[in-house]
Amino acid sequence: MPQTAPTENSPQPVQPVPSGWVNRFTGKLVLVLLDNKYGPSLRAGRSLWGLYETLTYRPGDGADTITVPKGFVTDLASIPRWAWIILPPDGPWVKAAIIHDFLYATEGTGPWKGHASGNSRAAPYTRAEADGILREAMENRGVDPVRRAIIWAAVRVGGAGGWKADSPRRRQALAAEVAPPGE
């Protein structure tokens, strides 16, 4: 059933909710731009963000959940700079990208920086499953089919290096120390 019309306090028109839609995310996305004393913290020229609160996603129709802990470091969607005019890193796919970054950073296992596993499923997720979860989560966030397909194809083609245990990107993601805001 569609939502009501926007009020004068609404910054954007309210999108109708598709029939049968279920929000698979739990938690409001709150990010903090990380910085050091010289400026923003960067990885490969991209700004780094820390999760201010946990973010949980329930893939598929099952009861399993993926919970990204407070303090997790992300560069949002790892989209090449030349493509930002069409697909910016902070588009409607951000929640999906953070879940995907978490699965890649932990190679689908879920434990991160001394936190208990963020996955309720006993078996680790494979890279193909992580990429499928990205696609599914983007659909859940209302990302149009063309953009979903482009982003999914890009991670299938270019994401292998980020998954390998000895990849520099994974070592950097796991080594990034971030104290949760307010601590």
Side-chain angles (χ1 to χ4, degrees):
M1 102 174 113
Q3 293 180 352
T4 58
T7 66
E8 62 184 61
N9 294 331
S10 298
Q12 300 174 8
V14 176
Q15 299 292 325
V17 177
S19 176
W21 180 81
V22 173
N23 185 5
R24 298 187 182 286
F25 285 93
T26 304
K28 186 167 182 77
L29 180 61
V30 181
L31 297 168
V32 175
L33 178 62
L34 304 178
D35 63 359
N36 57 42
K37 69 181 186 179
Y38 304 110
S41 294
L42 303 173
R43 181 185 331 146
R46 300 176 55 85
S47 296
L48 294 177
W49 298 82
L51 232 57
Y52 190 75
E53 296 294 336
T54 60
L55 179 66
T56 299
Y57 181 72
R58 185 175 43 86
D61 292 328
D64 293 325
T65 58
I66 300 165
T67 301
V68 184
K70 175 180 179 174
F72 179 76
V73 178
T74 180
D75 63 358
L76 307 180
S78 304
I79 296 170
R81 188 175 296 274
W82 57 264
W84 286 5
I85 194 154
I86 299 166
L87 297 168
D90 63 348
W93 39 81
V94 169
K95 281 186 172 182
I98 292 169
I99 298 294
H100 188 254
D101 279 0
F102 177 72
L103 289 172
Y104 265 57
T106 65
E107 283 192 330
T109 62
W112 180 80
K113 296 282 181 206
H115 293 268
S117 178
N119 299 345
S120 67
R121 180 173 111 166
Y125 290 93
T126 65
R127 178 175 169 246
E129 286 175 315
D131 294 348
I133 288 168
L134 170 68
R135 189 178 209 172
E136 174 193 272
M138 286 190 294
E139 180 178 10
N140 187 256
R141 296 299 301 160
V143 177
D144 67 88
V146 172
R147 288 192 173 114
R148 270 196 324 260
I150 292 168
I151 292 170
W152 176 82
V155 299
R156 289 306 300 153
V157 170
W163 186 266
K164 294 178 184 170
D166 63 344
S167 76
R169 177 186 160 113
R170 181 163 183 273
R171 282 195 307 269
Q172 285 177 339
L174 294 174
E177 289 293 333
V178 177
E183 292 185 8

